[in-house]
Amino acid sequence: MRTYNLESHQNEVLEKGFTIINAVFSEKEIEGIIHTIENIDTSKDTFRKSEDLFAIRQFLKEAPESVDSIFIDRIKEIIKDIFGEKYFVVKSIYFDKPEKSNWYVAYHQDLTISVDKKVDLPDFGPWTTKQNQFAVQPPLDVLENIYTLRIHLDHTDEENGALKVISNSHAKGIYRPETIDWTIEKEEICKVERGGVMIMKPLLLHGSNRTTNGKKRRVIHIEFSDIELPEELQWSERMHIM
């Protein structure tokens, strides 16, 4: 396994809104995670399946046997040194973009958090509910505090739906995609090796293109925070892993 300078990656996340660390998981570790996913009961409401996308929401809850395989010492070190010692899981999704996928994702920011119920709170809203799961747009400081860890189970580049991002857009608050000034903004393609991870801030403008090379793109998306919500509200997927 490679050694990496986590301080430089931390600085890159703060400056650009994302960083990529390759060779975090070994081939054997990746195969173990994939084996666990392939043996999950996919009939539940938290699963979304179509020709273009297979997704498992609340992934760590639905596949608890994957927790130890994912949160190996190298990942815990990355979380502690880049995010902070008090960060915990608040959301997890597994995405499988199949070989023939025409699934295209336009530029957007991740503006909602997953919570346990709907309550009227100042500065929380709008609300959405899908399959008895509640999501809400929280105050900006909550969004700015979150880190997203994307674990890549396949080599990902521009031909099979790698994320494309607008560097530093995470520092501009709520930034509507339709207002992007392409004379000053630059798109970057985030190529990540199988077994590598991408760390990003949810307010980073990001999207992805259709797959053109007939190769899969499987990613485990996990969000972390160290913020306590108002006492009436709880993170729906809160999990301490440190």
Side-chain angles (χ1 to χ4, degrees):
M1 308 301 290
R2 298 178 190 173
T3 57
Y4 16 79
N5 182 340
L6 293 182
E7 185 177 356
S8 69
H9 286 292
Q10 181 187 48
N11 291 336
E12 191 169 39
V13 175
L14 294 174
E15 179 185 339
K16 298 177 65 176
F18 72 98
T19 192
I20 293 166
I21 311 174
N22 283 312
V24 176
F25 291 87
S26 69
E27 183 64 23
K28 183 178 180 180
E29 289 164 341
I30 290 295
E31 284 298 328
I33 294 171
I34 292 171
H35 177 75
T36 298
I37 293 168
E38 288 176 343
N39 286 279
I40 294 174
D41 175 6
T42 60
S43 63
K44 300 179 182 178
D45 288 343
T46 46
F47 293 57
R48 173 184 167 189
K49 199 165 189 175
S50 70
E51 290 183 359
D52 287 334
L53 173 67
F54 173 54
I56 305 173
R57 298 188 179 279
Q58 298 196 11
F59 172 72
L60 295 174
K61 282 186 176 182
E62 298 292 356
E65 57 274 26
S66 70
V67 172
D68 289 343
S69 302
I70 290 170
F71 293 110
I72 57 177
D73 288 343
R74 287 184 296 279
I75 284 292
K76 289 181 179 180
E77 180 188 5
I78 287 169
I79 293 167
K80 180 174 68 73
D81 288 3
I82 295 182
F83 308 174
E85 292 188 1
K86 296 181 179 179
Y87 271 74
F88 48 86
V89 173
V90 296
K91 188 175 186 176
S92 60
I93 310 173
Y94 167 72
F95 292 111
D96 178 353
K97 196 169 186 179
E99 298 92 324
K100 297 180 181 178
S101 176
N102 285 316
W103 185 44
Y104 166 84
V105 180
Y107 269 112
H108 66 285
Q109 295 173 300
D110 293 336
L111 296 176
T112 63
I113 60 173
S114 296
V115 293
D116 62 335
K117 58 184 173 293
K118 182 177 179 179
V119 293
D120 288 328
L121 288 170
D123 302 320
F124 280 78
W127 289 80
T128 60
T129 307
K130 292 181 182 177
Q131 299 155 336
N132 294 319
Q133 297 182 59
F134 301 95
V136 64
Q137 183 170 326
L140 190 62
D141 65 308
V142 176
L143 294 172
E144 289 175 336
N145 170 264
I146 293 172
Y147 286 89
T148 299
L149 175 74
R150 291 170 57 89
I151 300 168
H152 283 250
L153 307 182
D154 301 291
H155 177 76
T156 307
D157 59 25
E158 64 273 14
E159 295 184 345
N160 67 331
L163 282 193
K164 52 184 183 179
V165 304
I166 306 298
S167 181
N168 195 44
S169 54
H170 70 297
K172 300 181 180 181
I174 306 301
Y175 189 0
R176 300 299 177 190
E178 60 271 19
T179 66
I180 297 174
D181 183 349
W182 290 107
T183 64
I184 60 171
E185 302 288 23
K186 182 182 178 183
E187 178 177 284
E188 293 190 48
I189 302 295
C190 300
K191 300 178 183 179
V192 187
E193 295 174 7
R194 174 179 166 101
V197 304
M198 177 180 175
I199 294 165
M200 59 179 278
K201 301 296 285 181
L203 291 175
L204 182 74
L205 275 167
H206 60 284
S208 65
N209 293 330
R210 295 175 176 86
T211 297
T212 60
N213 65 356
K215 294 183 178 179
K216 294 173 76 73
R217 191 209 71 178
R218 292 168 292 183
V219 174
I220 298 170
H221 169 117
I222 308 174
E223 296 177 15
F224 299 80
S225 176
D226 67 353
I227 280 184
E228 298 296 339
L229 298 175
E231 59 180 332
E232 306 95 318
L233 207 57
Q234 299 294 325
W235 299 99
S236 66
E237 298 178 59
R238 183 174 183 142
M239 179 184 294
H240 290 272
I241 47 83
M242 300 299 282

